[in-house]
Structures are given as C-alpha cells and as structure tokens.
Amino acid sequence: FKNTYIANISHMGIYIGNDQFIHAGTNGVEISKVTHSYWTERFVAYKRFNGID
C-alpha cells in the first residue's frame, strides 16, 4: 500500500482470503477488508511468496 503514514510504499499485509488481510494496525495486529475504500485507493500490488530456498 502507498501513502498510508508516509509518501510512497509504506505498508504491507498478508492476504488471508475472503477479501481480508492481516497487518500491523494502530492498535496492534488487525484484520481488514481489502475492499474498504481506504485500502483500495492505496493499493499497489499483490506478490506471491513462494518460500525460502
């Protein structure tokens, strides 16, 4: 996500399904909807994690 608390890429989360992602929020770990207007206007990209070699 971009432009959350600083300019440019500034936040990330882990998608957990059903349009939800887990991330570090103001009050600790939060689960939020990716489809919420705050997040949709700041969304940059998804990236698949393929594991550690």
Side-chain angles (χ1 to χ4, degrees):
F1 298 94
K2 64 181 178 180
N3 305 325
T4 57
Y5 64 97
I6 59 171
N8 298 314
I9 303 297
S10 55
H11 195 71
M12 64 165 289
I14 299 170
Y15 185 74
I16 58 174
N18 297 322
D19 292 332
Q20 296 181 318
F21 72 105
I22 189 168
H23 63 107
T26 305
N27 298 313
V29 177
E30 296 181 5
I31 295 176
S32 299
K33 287 277 199 182
V34 178
T35 54
H36 186 281
S37 60
Y38 178 85
W39 297 112
T40 57
E41 62 189 44
R42 291 167 174 80
F43 180 76
V44 176
Y46 286 114
K47 176 71 175 161
R48 179 179 299 272
F49 179 71
N50 292 321
I52 299 172
D53 293 332

